[in-house]
Amino acid sequence: NAGVTQTPKFQVLKTGQSMTLQCAQDMNHEYMSWYRQDPGMGLRLIHYSVGAGITDQGEVPNGYNVSRSTTEDFPLRLLSAAPSQTSVYFCASSPRRGSYEQYFGPGTRLTVT
Amino acid sequence: AQSVTQPDIHITVSEGASLELRCNYSYGATPYLFWYVQSPGQGLQLLLKYFSGDTLVQGIKGFEAEFKRSQSSFNLRKPSVHWSDAAEYFCAVGDGDQFYFGTGTSLTVIP
């Protein structure tokens, strides 16, 4: 079991560029989520999914898109990167929806210049 | 929206000393509460969780937490801290499909 994997580990983008952060889990978990972690602000939920084909917004969704075409994968897309999106991004999964414990990936450190 | 407050940004303790990390939450119903630990450059790992029942919950690595509804608190404790406990600790509350995290407490352990 690889658990939750994220790629890339590090990324530098220029303002206006687009990219996709990849997240995959091999635990057949129903629920997946994306967070951003900023100094002094803890983790904030960006988007989440309660199953294939179902996504919803979290606390800070602006500037990000997600899709969930399979149970395993939950990519996060930045359509036009901004310096305010410089952050560490974590993907997490949970066996099912409804406030159960989450398993986190190792994170992606993104810098937008 | 729900909120989680961790009033201590940074705590320093000596190895072998006891530890208490504070967490207060704002939530209308019975909360689902979690404590996670993050080592430098790593993702978060679940220490323990409270859903219902016994208000004193045991977790991994010798940690425990007590849910006090009257104080809206869920403080994390450890009787004797080890150097390897140095990390960042996050309290979180689950509200349906959404989770809210505190801003974290950074723990330094002095040998």
Side-chain angles (χ1 to χ4, degrees):
Chain A
N1 252 358
V4 180
T5 58
Q6 293 183 237
T7 56
K9 285 188 181 302
F10 302 95
Q11 183 71 49
V12 179
L13 289 179
K14 294 188 188 307
T15 297
Q17 287 185 317
S18 63
M19 81 159 296
T20 300
L21 306 185
Q22 301 292 345
C23 173
Q25 53 90 9
D26 61 359
M27 300 174 282
N28 199 33
H29 282 178
E30 182 177 278
Y31 179 97
M32 296 185 73
S33 56
W34 276 102
Y35 294 87
R36 58 178 291 172
Q37 182 179 28
D38 302 293
M41 303 196 72
L43 279 79
R44 292 179 292 168
L45 181 65
I46 304 172
H47 285 285
Y48 65 93
S49 168
V50 298
I54 307 170
T55 63
D56 207 344
Q57 297 181 351
E59 192 180 353
V60 289
N62 292 341
Y64 307 95
N65 281 348
V66 291
S67 60
R68 183 106 179 262
S69 56
T70 67
T71 300
E72 295 77 20
D73 300 298
F74 190 45
L76 178 72
R77 280 182 286 276
L78 286 71
L79 297 180
S80 178
S84 60
Q85 294 178 303
T86 294
S87 187
V88 181
Y89 291 85
F90 288 99
C91 179
S93 72
S94 182
R96 51 191 181 276
R97 65 184 304 180
S99 297
Y100 289 91
E101 62 265 35
Q102 298 185 84
Y103 298 80
F104 283 81
T108 294
R109 184 174 294 274
L110 175 68
T111 301
V112 183
T113 61
Chain B
Q2 318 315 326
S3 67
V4 179
T5 302
Q6 294 181 247
D8 303 306
I9 295 173
H10 186 247
I11 285 182
T12 300
V13 299
S14 298
E15 192 169 14
S18 63
L19 172 71
E20 182 168 28
L21 303 182
R22 296 182 291 164
C23 173
N24 293 96
Y25 63 89
S26 167
Y27 189 73
T30 300
Y32 289 70
L33 295 162
F34 307 84
W35 274 100
Y36 287 86
V37 60
Q38 183 181 33
S39 298
Q42 304 294 316
L44 279 72
Q45 180 185 20
L46 180 72
L47 283 175
L48 49 77
K49 61 184 184 285
Y50 172 79
F51 290 168
S52 64
D54 193 346
T55 57
L56 184 64
V57 294
Q58 303 296 321
I60 62 171
K61 304 185 182 189
F63 285 92
E64 66 178 27
E66 186 170 14
F67 169 59
K68 293 186 177 180
R69 185 188 302 276
S70 61
Q71 298 177 20
S72 297
S73 69
F74 189 56
N75 294 350
L76 182 71
R77 300 194 294 249
K78 186 169 185 177
S80 177
V81 170
H82 188 262
W83 64 265
S84 60
D85 293 324
E88 185 126 21
Y89 292 80
F90 291 94
C91 182
V93 62
D95 177 11
D97 293 323
Q98 302 221 22
F99 293 83
Y100 300 89
F101 282 78
T103 52
T105 297
S106 177
L107 175 66
T108 297
V109 180
I110 298 174

